[in-house]
Amino acid sequence: MTGLPIRLEKSVYIASSASAAGKNEKEGPLGDSFDLTSDDDRFGQDTWEKSESEMQRIALDAALGKAGFDPSSLDAVFAGDLLNQCVASNYGLLSFGIPFFGLYGACSTAAEGLILASLLCGAGAKRCAAVTSSHFCSAERQFRFPLEYGGQRTPTAQWTVTAAGAFVLTDDREDVRCDASVKAIPRIAAVMPGIVTDRGIDDLSNMGAAMAPAAADTLTRYFSAGADPGEFDLIVTGDLGREGSAILCDLIASTGRDIRRNHVDCGLLIYDCDGTDRHAGGSGCGCSAAVMASNILSNVRAGVLKRVLFVGTGALMSPLTVNQKGTIPGIAHLCDITGEVTK
Amino acid sequence: MNTDGKTYKKYAAARAKKSPLLKNCAMAFVSGGAICAAGHGLRRLFTYAGLSDDNAGMLTSSALILIAVLLTGFGVFDSIAKHTGAGTLVPITGFANAVASSAIDSRTEGLVPGVGAKIFTVAGPVLVWGISAGAAYGIAYYLVCAAAKGGVS
């Protein structure tokens, strides 16, 4: 039967994670938790696309450094971004010389990469990585308007996050560096790929509403397979924003379950949204990647969070099909992450 | 909530927070009016300096375009426009910003495939349909005048 959770028979651990972020993100509530930030969002590069690539390079380099792994020891890297042909990933990870898989899952790419990397680790590979990024300046010019264009955004619009996150996975627990501060090692216990869901939303400025049904579908399938929402310290979506988060809670409530107590959204965690240009919150596949790689997984390692359900949500929107009066399909991939207590 | 697409779309639209229409209209009215008043002031100034009415009008438009392009280049225009909305969009300043911002954005792709090809990405539809509407109006005006005079000459 299709659409069931995939439980990993072999344990796969997130050995390390790292993030890079821009100025607005640095000024946000999680600003101190990112490994490296750039005050001009350029990361020393002369084009926005190269800046995004550089963020990916920095994030993976930092993650490999934390894990103490040499790039040549990795079996594969799964990477994605929002740009055509995944150029930020292709160029950004070129220098590592790691076997490469390019992904596109819009904002769900971080979860998609984690799923595929963990499955490959469980299927015989020893070490894999997942890297994801988005950059406000490169994404806006591809999907919406020129950066300096003077327009007004609607309250449901989300702000593309400038950030990258990298995760390094291993199938060997002894491989994972543990200092005294590490109380638990994040282990990917189960994954569940999303199903493309289209409920007729065609408003480019309301991505949350386009993604929420996909997130509800994935979560409902996961809960129906035996998990209870109350088992999780956090159910982390990324990035439904304010609008999509409220819709998701409504949709889940209509199935008789309640996630309001433990649900958070990366798009709302990364910015202080009230009274700013961020409106309904952050979006872009770098958002959930950076929030998971920094804040959430740090809390799992510190033993604060014992079990986290990460649901990456993507609006599979193309400006071309929207102009052709098309609707915006959504997708949501799920990773069940458990903190395995260190000895 | 197992609803079909139509019901869900209605639900999502109904619950979505709306743009502050009254505030946006008031801001547009005040800022758009201020730009037009400033334009009129400039026109008076140019006329006072001895320019003909036609030349003063042309120079006023050019001055407003120059100011909008400079503000766009310095990264200020969008910060103003997010408050003023249609107030800065509707006058010639909005058109200038649409052209300048596209040009700035695409300069990394070079002068031909970048700036040359993309400069009218946003303003292009205004040119195409504005000029077409102008031409259509001109033809209609000509035909109506001719008919009034008793035949096309």
Side-chain angles (χ1 to χ4, degrees):
Chain A
M1 193 181 154
T2 189
L4 292 174
I6 302 166
R7 311 217 178 266
L8 274 66
E9 287 177 3
K10 196 175 173 188
S11 294
V12 176
Y13 302 92
I14 302 175
S16 68
S17 55
S19 56
K23 181 175 179 287
N24 286 327
E25 294 69 27
K26 184 186 175 185
E27 291 167 356
L30 306 181
D32 293 336
S33 60
F34 302 123
D35 293 283
L36 196 135
T37 53
S38 166
D39 284 336
D40 62 1
D41 292 351
R42 286 198 173 272
F43 293 88
Q45 305 300 311
D46 57 357
T47 71
W48 299 121
E49 289 71 21
K50 284 183 191 168
S51 307
E52 187 172 346
S53 292
E54 180 64 4
M55 277 198 303
Q56 286 216 7
R57 192 196 65 74
I58 290 167
L60 182 58
D61 194 49
L64 288 170
K66 285 182 189 179
F69 293 174
D70 191 83
S72 62
S73 71
L74 262 65
D75 295 293
V77 58
F78 293 85
D81 53 84
L82 296 176
L83 306 183
N84 291 334
Q85 292 83 40
C86 289
V87 284
S89 309
N90 303 341
Y91 290 112
L93 305 182
L94 190 64
S95 62
F96 292 99
I98 304 170
F100 173 89
F101 291 102
L103 307 176
Y104 185 83
C107 308
S108 73
T109 311
E112 186 179 356
L114 268 177
I115 290 176
L116 294 170
S118 64
L119 291 176
L120 198 62
C121 272
K126 294 285 174 198
R127 294 170 173 175
C128 288
V131 191
T132 314
S133 69
S134 58
H135 197 300
F136 176 81
C137 300
S138 58
E140 282 305 298
R141 61 193 298 243
Q142 180 177 303
F143 286 96
R144 295 183 184 89
F145 289 106
L147 294 171
E148 299 301 332
Y149 179 69
Q152 278 180 321
R153 301 162 80 93
T154 60
T156 53
Q158 289 176 250
W159 186 273
T160 306
V161 163
T162 299
F167 310 87
V168 176
L169 280 64
T170 175
D171 70 337
D172 184 0
R173 190 185 153 119
E174 299 306 316
D175 235 7
V176 183
R177 268 186 185 172
C178 289
D179 59 26
S181 67
V182 178
K183 303 279 189 289
I185 302 168
R187 179 172 66 85
I188 300 183
V191 298
M192 200 166 77
I195 296 173
V196 177
T197 306
D198 190 341
R199 298 286 284 278
I201 298 294
D202 54 7
D203 181 1
L204 278 175
S205 298
N206 197 355
M207 297 291 195
M211 293 184 275
D217 172 71
T218 300
L219 279 170
T220 306
R221 282 191 286 126
Y222 200 64
F223 295 147
S224 300
D228 183 84
E231 290 171 24
F232 303 95
D233 295 314
L234 276 186
I235 296 170
V236 186
T237 53
D239 321 288
L240 294 172
R242 184 177 286 140
E243 195 64 21
S245 294
I247 296 175
L248 172 66
C249 290
D250 276 1
L251 292 172
I252 296 291
S254 72
T255 66
R257 300 180 179 95
D258 187 10
I259 59 164
R260 286 186 176 90
R261 184 188 62 80
N262 51 354
H263 170 256
V264 294
D265 186 75
C266 297
L268 294 173
L269 292 174
I270 200 162
Y271 295 131
D272 183 8
C273 300
D274 292 323
T276 66
D277 291 337
R278 314 303 156 236
H279 297 295
S283 70
C285 45
C287 178
S288 60
V291 172
M292 284 299 295
S294 57
N295 181 273
I296 306 289
L297 287 178
S298 297
N299 281 318
V300 174
R301 288 188 195 97
V304 178
L305 299 172
K306 291 181 175 57
R307 200 169 167 202
V308 172
L309 207 53
F310 170 42
V311 184
T313 60
L316 304 170
M317 178 273 285
S318 149
L320 190 94
T321 52
V322 168
N323 285 340
Q324 291 168 349
K325 310 288 180 212
T327 51
I328 304 169
I331 192 157
H333 300 296
L334 178 149
C335 295
D336 185 340
I337 301 168
T338 302
E340 203 169 281
V341 179
T342 52
K343 289 156 195 163
Chain B
M1 196 187 291
N2 196 14
T3 52
D4 59 46
K6 220 171 177 179
T7 316
Y8 178 73
K9 200 177 164 185
K10 269 189 193 163
Y11 153 81
R15 58 150 294 118
K17 194 177 168 188
K18 306 288 180 291
S19 295
L21 196 64
L22 267 178
K23 184 186 156 207
N24 287 352
C25 286
M27 287 296 286
F29 180 78
V30 172
S31 56
I35 291 170
C36 294
H40 198 70
L42 279 174
R43 190 183 175 128
R44 291 282 292 270
L45 198 71
F46 293 139
T47 317
Y48 183 73
L51 267 71
S52 67
D53 264 3
D54 278 356
N55 284 344
M58 202 173 63
L59 206 59
T60 302
S61 300
S62 306
L64 290 176
I65 289 170
L66 179 69
I67 292 165
V69 168
L70 286 175
L71 289 175
T72 303
F74 287 121
V76 183
F77 192 95
D78 58 329
S79 308
I80 301 169
K82 71 184 177 195
H83 301 294
T84 53
T88 36
L89 181 81
V90 174
I92 204 162
T93 45
F95 190 82
N97 165 254
V99 175
S101 60
S102 299
I104 293 168
D105 236 34
S106 46
R107 72 193 189 285
T108 49
E109 288 88 75
L111 288 176
V112 176
V115 177
K118 305 267 182 68
I119 193 165
F120 293 123
T121 306
V122 180
V126 181
L127 288 177
V128 170
W129 299 116
I131 292 168
S132 301
Y137 177 81
I139 292 167
Y141 183 76
Y142 172 76
L143 291 176
V144 169
C145 288
K149 282 180 193 163
V152 178
S153 58

